[in-house]
Amino acid sequence: MARKIGLYGIIAYILYGLFFYWYLFYFADTSLPFEYEGSKADPATFLNGRELMLSEEYSKIRNLLFFLSTPFEWLFYLFVLLAGLSGAFKKWAGQSSKYKIIQTAIYTIWLTFFAFVATFPLSYISYSLSKSYNISTQSFSSWMKDELIDFWINFGTMFIIVAVLYWLMKKSQKRWWLYAWLLSVPFTLFVMFLQPVVIDPLYNDFYPLKDKQLEAKILELASEANIPSEHVFEVNMAEKTNALNAYVTGIGSNSRIVLWDTTLNRLNDEQILFIMAHEMAHYVEKHLYIGIAGYLLLSLVGLYLTYRLMNYAVNRWGEALKIPAVHDIRSFPLFLMILSMLLFVSSPVSNFVSRYQEMRADRYAIEMTGNTEAGIGTFQELSRAGLSQVNPPLLVKIFRYGHPTMLERISMIEEYEIEKMRQSEE
């Protein structure tokens, strides 16, 4: 049975990979609808021939890597179970210490290490790809340092999850999912509160905006939206990437708006103010807190479904998977596999909500600044810097895009311009 499950898993993964290779390289049409040709959203109007070619090449390969990476993670966890590695980790942990908490830490470090080794080739391919297309400027040693930071953060997080989760499972085999969710609420909020001041600085240097003239303009814009001025930071990213970005992070007193220094170097002040207005919209419209609420609701449903699916899988295939009971720590790879599958399946919904919020923020930025030219120039430069497709394939948009496509963002601004012209004529 174990061999049959493993064989079916490998066949399913190969067929899945072939489908997305065919879809991305031969079936999907990324050309613009004819009504947008020659518009400001047409990449041919702001990218040269070489940039257009590189954009298509890079996007196809990067999207294929995305679709291959997540199911590969499922296949890895399935292999860990079928090969008895999860049982071996538990055995090694038991032989190393008589203390339960140390045994849990040893089990977790082995699983984290094997997962790191298994996924390292795909991570390296992704790094090499971005390097070859001049998106990444990061040295191998710097990239490896970030990978190792990821490893230890993943280990620490996973250790806490394993220790708490399996303690709850043994205390209540029918309600552990609910208690786990209740504990996850303060834990999630605590991590989000710490992230800007503890986790993010492990990777990059953050500091208040250096350009004081630009800072004065941003502060003036922020005051119009009643946003605390101390929440604007810049981060040193030029040594790692040529891509541009700005984002909102943290909650409460640690919340802040962050600008990459690449964004500051590549865009003019008017374009940066447009981005700032966009990020301020997330504060004004409480998108961060709406996102937290949505995440917590989704995690409640996800944990309940994980509980049901784990019981079903152990009852039906427990012997083949070498899992004697759900509350045995050997079932943890199954827990991670099911949770990852549910996150992947639910991503179209969460991405749809995110795209709606981002479109609202774009609209807010246009109305706040009144500078449509800066908005269009910003999105065109974002496309150029990241070699992103203006009109990506439908499945890529559904599963990958938490922002509207550049076609949607630029055309929305053009429609706003037309609307304003009509109003002025009336």
Side-chain angles (χ1 to χ4, degrees), residues 46-56 384 387:
F46 60 89
L47 297 179
N48 60 42
R50 176 173 171 76
E51 288 171 334
L52 283 170
M53 179 192 70
L54 293 176
S55 174
E56 284 299 308
R384 178 182 291 107
L387 292 180

Side-chain angles (χ1 to χ4, degrees), residues 121-138:
L122 282 176
S123 298
Y124 181 73
I125 290 171
S126 180
Y127 161 72
S128 298
L129 176 70
S130 60
K131 188 87 171 177
S132 62
Y133 280 86
N134 201 34
I135 302 297
S136 173
T137 59
Q138 191 173 17

